[in-house]
Amino acid sequence: MNGGTARGGGHAVVRLRSAVAALVAAAALGLATGRFVLPAPPGASARATPGESVPKPGSSASGSASPTGSTGPVTPADLLGPEAFGPDSGIGQIHVTDRFGDGHYANAACTGEKTLTETLGGPGAHFRGLMTGTRTDPSDRTLALDGAEQVAREVAAEARSASLAQNFSQRLLLEQVPCQEETPGHWVYGKTTTIRLAPDVTASWMGVYPGSLNTTGTAPEGEEPCGGIAVLRNGTHYGVLEVTACLGTAAMDRVVRTALSQL
């Protein structure tokens, strides 16, 4: 023993002093700004701006993983279920009927009622009706015999590629846009709201307003819709969801997001 400092001891003292100085500086900054940010541990490569979080690899900034687009055939499991409406909707028990084929896909008379094949020239699609009653239209069992019992109706299919699904969804949305302007007294669609969960997982929806609220030829500002229509795209899957239950903005947004995530 020679009484000198152990090997490496000087470096440890320097590191300790530096750490104490950094903590003191951080505390002083916290007193001045109201935010306390500890310095990154030695060797940390990620640097965050105060007030911002650094997302983990493979996750979004909110901490939830970004969805990836769907591929492969659409199945009934990809369609919206009754649970999406929840007990707080006041709708009650919802019955589901499914079929596969062609037919009208919720495009209104103001745009010219067409079948999905007439609009896109594609193969058949999955049709789902959600209704409070059990009596269905003989010509299409996804439609309630009494229109007042219809809660929603979804039509979904798959395209050969994600780009083609995008093209189809854009065309289906354009089919609905003319209904955003109607003569006063006629029901009308409101402005388009876009939801984007990922680059190829998107939805555009419009609320519907009764003719009693259409006094100018367009949807009134500041009024709640009563249901609406959405065009969905999730990877190679695309579809149209019409909600005839009288849902407001928040409920419509929730249902559309559920349908988009499930598609």
Side-chain angles (χ1 to χ4, degrees):
M1 299 293 293
N2 58 13
T5 303
R7 182 175 298 176
H11 295 295
V13 172
V14 172
R15 285 197 298 270
L16 178 60
R17 289 175 178 173
S18 299
V20 171
L23 288 171
V24 171
L29 178 62
L31 290 174
T33 64
R35 294 178 178 175
F36 293 86
V37 183
L38 293 177
S45 58
R47 295 183 178 180
T49 302
E52 295 181 349
S53 60
V54 179
K56 297 178 181 179
S59 68
S60 65
S62 62
S64 59
S66 298
T68 56
S70 298
T71 58
V74 170
T75 70
D78 298 318
L79 302 182
L80 188 70
E83 63 280 356
F85 293 89
D88 59 337
S89 64
I91 296 174
Q93 184 178 7
I94 298 176
H95 303 276
V96 175
T97 58
D98 290 329
R99 72 175 180 85
F100 181 85
D102 192 23
H104 297 285
Y105 58 91
N107 52 340
C110 58
T111 65
E113 293 180 328
K114 304 174 185 176
T115 67
L116 198 63
T117 298
E118 288 173 335
T119 298
L120 301 178
H126 289 268
F127 287 70
R128 167 165 291 182
L130 298 99
M131 55 199 78
T132 56
T134 57
R135 297 182 305 162
T136 61
D137 190 319
S139 64
D140 188 339
R141 64 183 183 182
T142 64
L143 292 171
L145 187 61
D146 180 355
E149 296 180 345
Q150 193 84 35
V151 176
R153 186 166 179 259
E154 185 177 9
V155 182
E158 68 274 0
R160 293 190 301 272
S161 66
S163 60
L164 190 58
Q166 180 181 20
N167 177 276
F168 284 173
S169 63
Q170 289 173 340
R171 288 163 62 184
L172 291 170
L173 180 61
L174 289 174
E175 285 284 327
Q176 314 300 330
V177 169
C179 297
Q180 290 178 314
E181 294 184 4
E182 281 294 331
T183 56
H186 190 283
W187 70 266
V188 66
Y189 284 143
K191 65 180 181 179
T192 304
T193 299
T194 299
I195 297 171
R196 185 179 300 275
L197 303 183
D200 59 348
V201 183
T202 64
S204 296
W205 70 270
M206 298 173 282
V208 63
Y209 296 82
S212 59
L213 293 180
N214 176 14
T215 59
T216 62
T218 58
E221 293 289 340
E223 295 286 349
E224 283 292 298
C226 185
I229 191 168
V231 176
L232 316 168
R233 179 175 70 93
N234 189 328
T236 60
H237 296 178
Y238 65 94
V240 178
L241 172 67
E242 183 180 32
V243 177
T244 50
C246 195
L247 302 185
T249 301
M252 274 295 299
D253 188 81
R254 183 176 66 250
V255 169
V256 172
R257 286 177 182 272
T258 301
L260 177 61
S261 299
Q262 191 163 342
L263 182 62

